[in-house]
Amino acid sequence: MSAALINLAAEQKSAEVTDWSARIGWVVGLLVFIALVYWLMRQGWKWRGSLQADLPELPQAPEAAGDVRLRLGGRYHGSTTAGQWLDRIVAHGLGVRSRVELTLTDAGVEVVRPGATDFFVPAGQLRAARLDKGIAGKVLAEGGLLILTWQHGDRLLDSGFRSDRAAEHTAWVEAVNSMNQAMTTNDAPITTEGTAR
């Protein structure tokens, strides 16, 4: 009886020894793996930027932009090649997500981004506006994004914005598209048939 108690007491006192070297090895291996993945992502970002090196510098807002038509505060979710929502544009900071303040004037759209590169889309380069649900890998509810399509150099780009008040999106779509339609009508060739005498 006493031998059984002694064995029981010995079993209770002995604890499983932790193999610290194995645990440290696993932690170091995991950290190296995470660093490698981060480095590969960074290299991919740089590679994509070098492929887009032909993209011209971003236009800046003129000093006299005209009367303010609309303002929007929210988030900038990125720019892509028009119609290809996963083909992210990263050159000149266009791939950086940030807070944004959009201002629509007669001259175009001023995009102010704290902590990232500001830019301006001249009215003559605006092509269309629409509501969508995804851009540059970001997917939201249907109609959750305001997409502005604009010409930059020889590329047609889509830039995605989300207002803090989603109800503002519709007004932006209507204003940009009517502005674009007016410019297209004004740029149409004027026929002089019947005016010459």
Side-chain angles (χ1 to χ4, degrees):
M1 182 73 132
S2 60
L5 288 174
I6 291 171
N7 287 338
L8 182 60
E11 286 176 8
Q12 288 177 349
K13 285 182 184 177
S14 63
E16 189 176 328
V17 178
T18 303
D19 187 0
W20 286 105
S21 59
R23 284 195 180 194
I24 291 171
W26 275 105
V27 169
V28 169
L30 183 61
L31 291 176
V32 168
F33 176 74
I34 291 170
L36 177 64
V37 169
Y38 176 77
W39 181 79
L40 288 172
M41 288 172 60
R42 186 174 168 85
Q43 291 303 109
W45 191 274
K46 285 182 179 180
W47 175 74
R48 182 175 282 273
S50 67
L51 289 178
Q52 298 165 356
D54 61 328
L55 201 66
E57 288 294 324
L58 296 172
Q60 297 302 310
E63 290 184 18
D67 294 335
V68 174
R69 292 186 178 196
L70 289 171
R71 286 192 193 278
L72 179 151
R75 294 206 54 86
Y76 168 78
H77 285 289
S79 293
T80 64
T81 301
Q84 300 179 27
W85 75 287
L86 290 175
D87 186 18
R88 184 190 298 266
I89 302 294
V90 301
H92 308 301
L94 286 174
V96 179
R97 289 184 178 156
S98 62
R99 289 287 305 165
V100 72
E101 182 74 32
L102 287 184
T103 305
L104 178 66
T105 65
D106 292 336
V109 178
E110 185 178 1
V111 183
V112 177
R113 301 189 300 152
T117 307
D118 298 341
F119 62 96
F120 182 74
V121 181
Q125 294 177 334
L126 275 171
R127 297 294 177 257
R130 70 179 190 278
L131 298 181
D132 212 327
K133 63 179 180 179
I135 192 165
K138 181 69 174 181
V139 179
L140 298 167
E142 190 67 48
L145 282 172
L146 167 66
I147 306 292
L148 298 181
T149 302
W150 55 291
Q151 186 80 36
H152 185 49
D154 61 353
R155 292 185 191 227
L156 199 58
L157 305 180
D158 282 343
S159 293
F161 307 90
R162 179 171 175 80
S163 173
D164 292 333
R165 295 177 295 278
E168 296 177 330
H169 290 171
T170 305
W172 271 80
V173 170
E174 291 171 358
V176 169
N177 287 337
S178 65
M179 179 197 240
N180 189 35
Q181 186 175 11
M183 290 189 69
T184 304
T185 304
N186 291 340
D187 290 343
I190 299 171
T191 57
T192 56
E193 186 179 340
T195 59
R197 295 193 183 266

